[in-house]
Amino acid sequence: MTGERGLSVLLKHMKPELQPGTFVFCTIAANERIPAGLNPLLTFREQEGTTLVILRDEAQAAGLSYAFASRLITLTVHSALDAVGFLAAITARLAESGISANAVSAFHHDHLFVPTNRADDAMMLLQEMSVRRMG
């Protein structure tokens, strides 16, 4: 199935969903193995180390230090990996309201990690963006 590329269609059909749980960002040394028992939602290897995005409860249980307690919002429209402007439009709108967002594009969907205390605000803004496109 091919993902959608049209910006107006993506915005109209993004249908944001707030996922359960609080996620955090941790880092381990680049040559270190992921600790047993952790189930990272996301891993990303950088020169400085490996980033793990995991549930806060998992980080605490493993004794890992972490940053950016966040909620995960999934934009459920199947976006093409080469779609132009979708995340730019969304993150710009969130930025106008002072909401930071760490965006991740996966094969089927785009995902936003937003501060836990702004998740409801972010959901409202995203839903408004989608509704405006429907009218």
Side-chain angles (χ1 to χ4, degrees), residues 64-79:
L64 293 173
S65 59
Y66 58 84
F68 194 61
S70 56
R71 295 293 306 275
L72 172 60
I73 298 172
T74 298
L75 306 174
T76 63
V77 65
H78 183 182
S79 55

Side-chain angles (χ1 to χ4, degrees), residues 37-110:
L38 290 186
N39 186 27
L41 177 66
L42 172 72
T43 60
F44 196 92
R45 297 189 192 283
E46 297 178 283
Q47 189 173 7
E48 301 85 355
T50 301
T51 298
L52 307 174
V53 179
I54 59 178
L55 288 167
R56 180 172 52 195
D57 293 344
E58 285 186 38
Q60 290 172 336
L64 293 173
S65 59
Y66 58 84
F68 194 61
S70 56
R71 295 293 306 275
L72 172 60
I73 298 172
T74 298
L75 306 174
T76 63
V77 65
H78 183 182
S79 55
L81 289 167
D82 60 352
V84 176
F86 183 44
L87 286 176
I90 289 166
T91 57
R93 180 64 188 98
L94 293 174
E96 288 171 8
S97 294
I99 301 172
S100 65
N102 286 289
V104 175
S105 295
F107 192 86
H108 295 284
H109 306 290
D110 294 290

